[in-house]
Amino acid sequence: MTMKLVKTATALALGASLISTAVVSTDASAASKYKISKGKLVIAKTGKVAKGFVTYKSLVYKDGKKLTGLKGKTYYKAGKKATGTYKGAYYYKGAKKVTTGTYKGAYYVKGVKKVTTGLYNNRYYKSGVKATGTYKGAYYVKGVKKVTTGYYAGAYYVKGYKKVTTGFYNDVLYIKGKENKELAIFKDSLFDGSKLNEGVVLFDEKLFDGYKLNKGYKLYKEDLYNNEKLNEGQAIFGDKLYVGSKLSEGLVTFVGEDKKEVVYNNGELANGTFEVEGKEVAYEDGKEVAAKVASVEAINATTVEVKFNKTVDKDAAETAGIVAIDGVTFEGSKGKLAEDGRTLTLSTTADTTVNVKSAKVTVKPVLLKGSKDVKTAEYNSLLTYEDTVAPTAVDATAKLVDKNEFVETVSVKFSEKVKAEGVFYVNGKTVTVKTTNSSDVLELNVADLKLKVGENVEIKMLNVKDLANNNITPNPVTISTKVQAADAPDTVAPVVESVTTVATKAENKVVVTFSKELDKTKTEAIKTAYLSKNGQTLGTLKTVSVDKNKVTYTFDGVTLTDNLATATLYIPKDSVVDTKGLVFAADYSTSVSFSQDLVAPTLVSSEIVENKLVLNFSEEVKLDATKLATDFKLAATNLVTGKTESPVAFPLVTEAGVTQNTTVSKDGKVVTIDLSSKSNAEKELTYIASYTTDLFKDLADNNAKEFSKTITLSKSTVTAPEADTKAPVVTLVDGFIKLDGETPKATDSEYKIVYTISDDKALDFASIRDLGNYTIAGKSLPTGSTITTDAASTDSKENVKVTITIPKKSVTSTLTGVFAVKGVKDIAGNTIEGVLTTSTKNFLTLAEGIAPTLKSAVAYKADNKVIIELSEALKTEVAGDFLVSVNGTEFVAATGIKLATGADAGLGKYELTLATDALATATKVEVKTIETPTSKDSSENVLEAVKTAILATLK
């Protein structure tokens, strides 16, 4: 038993020994146990291959071969601890360092080194780590490529390098890395794209004048600004009153610095007569004045108009002898007062005219309307008048009488009285004037021509003269009409077509439209219509007003505007009479409601159609009868000078009070004013047409706004002259551009370009004065340019001198290039050919006219210097132009000036030299210029004076 146990233990011990030897052995033991045989490690005693891991002579073997692979976590190659990649990992001296990742400044993937610094898999690495920075023309963030050249994250890059966030690069302004293509603020200046803004513009709810915030008052798109913000409160700008940012509306009192009150009306100094708190008040230049004669004026050779500033009594005004003018006699020695109560019109006796020089005018005191003792002051003045206005033909009428087959007379209406003289043709045959008396209507005898209904009638008139011997214009003149049928007997009484109401603060109006035109005098005299509600009569009928087929009944003492209150309108029979004497046949009643209309009519559109001005309003309008003769005006453009002449009234009513040249559409919204009498047979004519704010009103008496528009009337039809196909000829002295005889100089305050033009028939002066027909270096003429000629009249056609004047200050950048003219023509439309300069020797150079300005200043205490920045560089700088104040002391001129250098250098930057230690104790430094600087830029523009000092930044 014992022996058996011993044997087993021995066996176990031996097995353990063998197992231990197979796993590992030290070199000391292995040297005797192992040997190399045929390149393999074998057991020395048996010659068999050594199994497992054996370290022999510092080399590790596995199964007899030098180990290449892992022993535990250590990497061997040929039995030695190795450095390299093995099965997706990188080992260093046998130790595992990395699979995929960074090790010692390199990036590895599955143990394979891919990159140290550079690109791998489109990613940028630096020292083996994904990096942020620039590499080979591109910018990377955490290895990812973001930009080569262009925008990224608020900055602009070029080939991977950040060049600018906000600022200039290669003369291009970038805002947060993007090229600025609109308005933007940079360094307290407004830029439009990459250039300093020019002109007035609103940006970020602030007004800029050029590139700086606006200073003072400025009008922009009809809004008034005070500095950069909309104006608040009352302000006078351009002689007009603004309340807030808008022109004042209605009558507004303004108290000036002298504490005196001045009244404005719709922004202008109040002039005229107004109703204030139910009373008539007259103003002149904003100040209230007493009742008086406002003016005495001869409106033509046979008519004198006296205007009062307040409504006068009709009987008193129409008394004989009220008006006297030396050398002038009036019909009945008295005048006729217009419906406005403030215009007295006097007509001269038959065949006499107003033709006086410094004639004494006397208007005796006239009692005011509704007053017992208040009169206008006696008026004494002098009048000079010579009628030089030519008469014009207004229209013609040819109408059968009763049942006649042929028309006997053709009536021609003129703009004023004319003599019954001249040469008259109807359809090419000579005819005579029926009467010998002067009149504004001449009747021509045409019975022998046998003209029937519908036939065309062409009237040609030659040498027709007004009473002042002015020939008709054009002369001859041709006007056409058609023969109309006689009026059929009228037996139909007027009937009501529609009823509308208008309510104002003081009264209520009912406008009734009838089927026929009414007798104004008879109908207005019958005041029997009334309003009723619940059996009670409301208020009183104040007035009855007739306008053709419309009757306006005005009631006062009625309050009906709340909640669209209703009432019943009663119109008794026989209360309305038409122009044929036919009366309203039966009593009429209808329910009406009132709502107050405070909205003024607006002009929707205006256009010229066949030499007629067509006005389209937003609602039905009526014309103020008191304004028809005076308040529509035309200001002609002088064909020679190109200047706009003073406006002249274009009457919309005859002396007899009959509406002329004007038609109103049936709905009352479209008013057409015939201006064909103001056209010309040979030329297009340009006018400024205008009317006052109270010429057109809606039915609630709300005034339409005043109107002003430039219009062009086309040529009237005449027999075509012989065709003209030859273009005008332009001549330059010696073939060179000359500026008033000299080449342009930068010292000129304005540039003058002069050339001459000739034509064998007639020049088109409008095309000569058209600024759009001229360019310099391919650009339009600068703002403010003007064109004049030395022509004595529009008939001038040979060697007409044309002068183009260009203000230097309007040349915002120097222009160099060809001066070109095209579009200049003669009356026949023949246009000149080519341009005036075609080679570099004839190039024109106009130096820019923008004065340099002082923008900012920086004061350096330690260096005792002030760096100023101007809007541009100077050609000649004068130190004495710049004044410096330290700590509020007196301003002292700089002792020297030079270009700034070093970090302060830049376009327009200069260093001012000061007295020794001038800035040693500085806490505040201010800089300004003298009142008349002499420093100049390269274009000879003198430095702009700065009276309000600029506060320097202290460093």
Side-chain angles (χ1 to χ4, degrees):
M1 188 67 172
T2 300
M3 290 298 292
K4 189 173 183 180
L5 288 173
V6 172
K7 182 178 181 182
T8 304
T10 302
L12 289 172
L14 179 60
S17 175
L18 290 173
I19 292 171
S20 176
T21 302
V23 174
V24 64
S25 63
T26 65
D27 285 344
S29 61
S32 59
K33 293 180 180 180
Y34 303 96
K35 67 177 182 179
I36 300 299
S37 176
K38 296 182 180 179
K40 291 185 178 182
L41 182 66
V42 298
I43 299 171
K45 289 181 178 182
T46 65
K48 292 182 178 182
V49 173
K51 296 296 186 181
F53 293 100
V54 177
T55 299
Y56 175 72
K57 292 185 179 181
S58 299
L59 297 177
V60 177
Y61 292 80
K62 182 180 180 184
D63 296 333
K65 296 181 180 179
K66 290 178 182 177
L67 175 62
T68 294
L70 295 177
K71 178 186 174 186
K73 294 183 178 181
T74 303
Y75 169 57
Y76 291 85
K77 187 173 184 181
K80 295 180 179 179
K81 291 180 180 179
T83 294
T85 301
Y86 179 73
K87 290 187 177 181
Y90 178 74
Y91 293 82
Y92 179 72
K93 294 182 179 180
K96 181 178 178 181
K97 297 299 182 181
V98 66
T99 53
T100 295
T102 301
Y103 173 67
K104 284 193 175 181
Y107 182 70
Y108 291 78
V109 177
K110 294 182 180 181
V112 179
K113 180 179 178 182
K114 295 297 184 181
V115 64
T116 52
T117 294
L119 296 179
Y120 169 67
N121 199 20
N122 293 325
R123 297 292 187 268
Y124 168 56
Y125 292 81
K126 186 175 183 181
S127 298
V129 179
K130 288 180 180 177
T132 296
T134 301
Y135 181 74
K136 290 189 177 180
Y139 181 71
Y140 295 81
V141 175
K142 294 181 181 180
V144 179
K145 180 179 176 181
K146 296 297 183 180
V147 65
T148 52
T149 294
Y151 167 81
Y152 171 68
Y156 181 72
Y157 290 76
V158 176
K159 294 182 179 180
Y161 288 97
K162 182 164 70 175
K163 295 297 183 181
V164 64
T165 52
T166 294
F168 276 91
Y169 175 71
N170 282 350
D171 295 328
V172 176
L173 177 61
Y174 292 84
I175 304 295
K176 293 182 180 180
K178 292 185 178 180
E179 181 181 349
N180 183 48
K181 295 184 178 180
E182 53 190 10
L183 294 175
I185 297 291
F186 175 63
K187 289 188 176 180
D188 297 327
S189 293
L190 182 64
F191 284 80
D192 185 359
S194 296
K195 294 184 178 180
L196 286 168
N197 179 63
E198 297 178 355
V200 180
V201 67
L202 192 64
F203 176 71
D204 197 19
E205 297 185 356
K206 295 179 181 179
L207 188 68
F208 286 79
D209 187 356
Y211 56 89
K212 291 296 183 184
L213 286 171
N214 179 57
K215 298 295 183 184
Y217 290 113
K218 190 173 293 294
L219 199 60
Y220 178 70
K221 292 186 177 180
E222 299 184 356
D223 286 325
L224 181 65
Y225 284 78
N226 185 1
N227 296 326
E228 72 270 20
K229 296 292 186 181
L230 285 169
N231 181 60
E232 297 179 355
Q234 291 185 335
I236 301 295
F237 178 72
D239 296 328
K240 296 183 179 181
L241 176 63
Y242 288 80
V243 177
S245 63
K246 299 292 185 182
L247 272 176
S248 62
E249 295 183 356
L251 294 177
V252 178
T253 300
F254 175 76
V255 180
E257 294 181 358
D258 58 0
K259 306 301 181 182
K260 294 182 180 180
E261 292 186 351
V262 183
V263 178
Y264 285 77
N265 178 45
N266 294 330
E268 306 277 358
L269 280 171
N271 281 288
T273 307
F274 303 87
E275 184 174 315
V276 180
E277 297 179 352
K279 296 181 179 180
E280 201 172 42
V281 180
Y283 293 98
E284 287 184 2
D285 294 330
K287 297 180 180 180
E288 185 175 352
V289 294
K292 66 176 187 177
V293 174
S295 64
V296 176
E297 181 182 8
I299 60 175
N300 57 45
T302 60
T303 307
V304 172
E305 197 171 74
V306 178
K307 286 189 175 291
F308 301 93
N309 69 345
K310 292 190 177 182
T311 305
V312 295
D313 182 79
K314 181 176 176 64
D315 292 336
E318 292 181 349
T319 300
I322 287 293
V323 180
I325 301 177
D326 288 352
V328 181
T329 56
F330 297 109
E331 291 181 358
S333 299
K334 60 183 180 179
K336 182 177 180 181
L337 190 66
E339 288 187 11
D340 66 355
R342 297 197 295 270
T343 304
L344 183 67
T345 302
L346 301 97
S347 299
T348 60
T349 54
D351 298 332
T352 64
T353 63
V354 180
N355 187 4
V356 294
K357 185 175 182 180
S358 299
K360 180 181 178 182
V361 179
T362 301
V363 182
K364 295 179 180 179
V366 179
L367 187 69
L368 296 188
K369 182 179 180 181
S371 175
K372 294 181 180 180
D373 52 8
V374 180
K375 297 182 179 181
T376 60
E378 181 173 305
Y379 177 87
N380 292 283
S381 184
L382 298 176
L383 176 67
T384 297
Y385 182 79
E386 180 184 2
D387 183 6
T388 59
V389 178
T392 59
V394 177
D395 60 31
T397 304
K399 196 170 188 177
L400 293 180
V401 177
D402 297 329
K403 297 182 180 180
N404 292 348
E405 182 180 2
F406 305 109
V407 68
E408 295 182 352
T409 60
V410 172
S411 298
V412 181
K413 183 171 180 54
F414 299 88
S415 58
E416 59 178 299
K417 283 184 179 180
V418 295
K419 298 178 180 179
E421 302 173 359
V423 181
F424 301 87
Y425 302 90
V426 174
N427 290 354
K429 296 184 179 180
T430 303
V431 296
T432 59
V433 181
K434 189 174 182 179
T435 61
T436 58
N437 296 328
S438 60
S439 173
D440 62 348
V441 177
L442 295 184
E443 293 189 346
L444 307 179
N445 294 308
V446 295
D448 293 342
L449 302 184
K450 307 293 183 182
L451 299 173
K452 295 183 178 181
V453 172
E455 287 191 39
N456 290 325
V457 181
E458 183 181 83
I459 306 104
K460 184 176 181 180
M461 296 170 284
L462 177 66
N463 295 338
V464 176
K465 303 176 185 289
D466 63 12
L467 301 190
N469 287 322
N470 295 305
N471 270 324
I472 195 168
T473 183
N475 186 28
V477 62
T478 301
I479 191 169
S480 300
T481 187
K482 284 189 176 183
V483 177
Q484 303 174 38
D487 294 331
D490 187 356
T491 59
V492 180
V495 296
V496 175
E497 289 188 338
S498 64
V499 178
T500 58
T501 62
V502 179
T504 65
K505 294 179 180 179
E507 57 195 12
N508 293 270
K509 297 181 180 181
V510 181
V511 181
V512 182
T513 302
F514 289 88
S515 57
K516 303 176 65 181
E517 186 170 345
L518 305 178
D519 186 307
K520 180 178 177 67
T521 303
K522 292 180 179 179
T523 301
E524 288 183 349
I526 305 172
K527 298 182 179 179
T528 56
Y530 63 96
L531 287 173
S532 176
K533 186 170 185 178
N534 298 327
Q536 299 291 321
T537 299
L538 300 177
T540 59
L541 178 58
K542 184 178 179 181
T543 60
V544 177
S545 177
V546 175
D547 182 11
K548 295 184 178 179
N549 66 326
K550 292 183 179 181
V551 180
T552 300
Y553 298 100
T554 303
F555 298 89
D556 60 6
V558 185
T559 304
L560 286 171
T561 57
D562 295 336
N563 301 319
L564 296 176
T566 59
T568 301
L569 170 70
Y570 289 90
I571 305 176
K573 67 177 182 179
D574 301 335
S575 64
V576 175
V577 184
D578 71 12
T579 55
K580 301 298 182 182
L582 299 169
V583 298
F584 196 46
D587 292 342
Y588 176 85
S589 65
T590 186
S591 177
V592 292
S593 61
F594 295 87
S595 61
Q596 190 168 327
D597 177 11
L598 299 178
V599 179
T602 58
L603 183 62
V604 177
S605 64
S606 61
E607 60 180 333
I608 291 292
V609 179
E610 296 180 350
N611 287 343
K612 296 176 181 179
L613 176 60
V614 181
L615 305 171
N616 184 12
F617 291 90
S618 60
E619 59 178 302
E620 182 177 358
V621 295
K622 60 182 180 180
L623 285 78
D624 187 333
T626 66
K627 308 293 182 181
L628 293 177
T630 59
D631 283 28
F632 182 83
K633 297 182 179 181
L634 294 175
T637 299
N638 189 294
L639 293 176
V640 176
T641 66
K643 295 181 178 179
T644 301
E645 298 177 346
S646 298
V648 177
F650 182 79
L652 305 182
V653 65
T654 66
E655 295 177 11
V658 179
T659 302
Q660 64 177 359
N661 302 321
T662 309
T663 58
V664 180
S665 64
K666 190 172 184 180
D667 63 2
K669 294 183 179 180
V670 181
V671 179
T672 302
I673 301 175
D674 189 349
L675 302 175
S676 56
S677 62
K678 290 295 183 180
S679 63
N680 186 286
E682 297 180 348
K683 308 176 182 69
E684 288 186 346
L685 298 181
T686 300
Y687 296 89
I688 296 177
S690 63
Y691 57 74
T692 60
T693 186
D694 48 2
L695 178 60
F696 296 103
K697 306 172 183 284
D698 65 12
L699 301 185
D701 287 333
N702 296 306
N703 292 333
K705 286 185 177 182
E706 68 274 6
F707 167 84
S708 179
K709 181 178 182 179
T710 300
I711 61 173
T712 300
L713 301 183
S714 58
K715 292 185 287 187
S716 54
T717 305
V718 294
T719 304
E722 182 181 350
D724 175 11
T725 60
K726 189 175 180 181
V729 177
V730 170
T731 304
L732 294 173
V733 179
D734 298 329
F736 289 90
I737 286 296
K738 299 289 183 181
L739 277 79
D740 212 13
E742 300 179 1
T743 55
K745 302 186 298 295
T747 53
D748 296 330
S749 62
E750 60 183 23
Y751 301 122
K752 291 184 181 293
I753 303 175
V754 181
Y755 70 88
T756 60
I757 185 170
S758 301
D759 189 67
D760 59 351
K761 293 199 179 289
L763 291 167
D764 183 346
F765 282 90
S767 72
I768 293 174
R769 294 191 310 274
D770 187 348
L771 293 171
N773 287 334
Y774 303 85
T775 59
I776 299 175
K779 297 182 178 180
S780 301
L781 295 182
T783 303
S785 298
T786 58
I787 301 175
T788 58
T789 72
D790 67 349
S793 70
T794 55
D795 296 327
S796 301
K797 60 183 180 180
E798 293 184 0
N799 295 322
V800 173
K801 182 180 177 181
V802 180
T803 302
I804 302 171
T805 303
I806 303 171
K808 184 184 180 186
K809 64 182 180 181
S810 66
V811 182
T812 56
S813 60
T814 299
L815 295 173
T816 299
V818 170
F819 169 64
V821 183
K822 56 183 178 180
V824 172
K825 58 187 178 180
D826 60 16
I827 287 298
N830 300 305
T831 306
I832 66 169
E833 297 180 358
V835 296
L836 298 186
T837 59
T838 56
S839 63
T840 55
K841 72 176 183 179
N842 282 338
F843 272 9
L844 186 65
T845 296
L846 303 185
E848 57 87 9
I850 306 301
T853 58
L854 177 62
K855 294 172 59 179
S856 63
V858 179
Y860 294 90
K861 292 178 62 176
D863 298 328
N864 196 47
K865 67 180 181 181
V866 172
I867 302 296
I868 59 171
E869 182 181 3
L870 306 178
S871 59
E872 59 179 305
L874 298 176
K875 176 184 177 184
T876 56
E877 57 269 12
V878 179
D881 284 349
F882 300 94
L883 305 176
V884 180
S885 169
V886 180
N887 298 336
T889 59
E890 182 180 354
F891 280 89
V892 178
T895 58
I897 185 172
K898 62 181 180 179
L899 285 171
T901 58
D904 295 319
L907 183 65
K909 288 189 174 183
Y910 293 86
E911 178 182 328
L912 298 181
T913 304
L914 308 177
T916 304
D917 296 329
L919 302 180
T921 60
T923 58
K924 178 183 178 183
V925 177
E926 296 173 285
V927 182
K928 66 178 183 179
T929 69
I930 62 176
E931 290 187 1
T932 55
T934 56
S935 298
K936 297 180 180 180
D937 64 10
S938 59
S939 297
E940 298 294 328
N941 298 305
V942 178
L943 176 69
E944 184 177 296
V946 177
K947 296 181 180 179
T948 302
I950 292 175
L951 183 63
T953 301
L954 201 59
K955 293 187 177 181

